[in-house]
Amino acid sequence: NSNSSTTALQQRKQQLTPSQIPLPFTATKSDLDSPTFHPRSHTLSHIAHSSAHTLLETNERLALDIRTLDSTMQTLVYENYSKFIDATDAIKSIGTNVSSVSGDTNGLDRLISGMERIQSASSRSERLLRESREAVAEKLRIQRLLTRLDALLSLPQTLR
């Protein structure tokens, strides 16, 4: 039932002459962006109720809008294409790196060996420096205590 009334309404609009079209169909941006916008009614109303000068201005504005949108669309296409190419190159690079790593077990063995040597050297340095580090920490603790003691000893003279 709803479809038949919508179809009847659309057929009635198609049969209207320009002078029969009501005036509310104006060339405003809000009407053009409306989800209920009817291009045929809008166009016929605009032609019927506008001067030739207004129609030419509308034509110029629409042509400019079309060129602007076309330029924007071309820019977006180019940017997206560039991003696609960059992503493709990155994926190809990742694939190459994975292939070289999986095919080069000698390189992995060298890496593991190097990391083990670094771990061993770090442990050896830690053992050798532990006593020195503890001695330095003890000397710093003593220095702080001596500084406090000096401040306490000089307090009576400062109070006088």
Side-chain angles (χ1 to χ4, degrees), residues 59-73:
N59 183 46
E60 265 184 59
R61 189 179 60 238
L62 289 174
L64 178 63
D65 288 348
I66 289 169
R67 284 193 302 272
T68 302
L69 289 172
D70 186 48
S71 174
T72 302
M73 184 176 63

Side-chain angles (χ1 to χ4, degrees), residues 125-140:
S125 297
E126 173 70 26
R127 271 193 326 273
L128 293 174
L129 296 175
R130 180 175 296 135
E131 288 179 22
S132 298
R133 186 176 54 240
E134 289 172 357
V136 168
E138 179 64 20
K139 288 177 183 173
L140 285 173

Side-chain angles (χ1 to χ4, degrees), residues 22-43:
L23 202 52
F25 293 103
T26 58
T28 64
K29 185 170 174 43
S30 60
D31 287 340
L32 294 175
D33 290 340
S34 169
T36 59
F37 177 70
H38 300 284
R40 178 172 170 72
S41 299
H42 172 79
T43 303

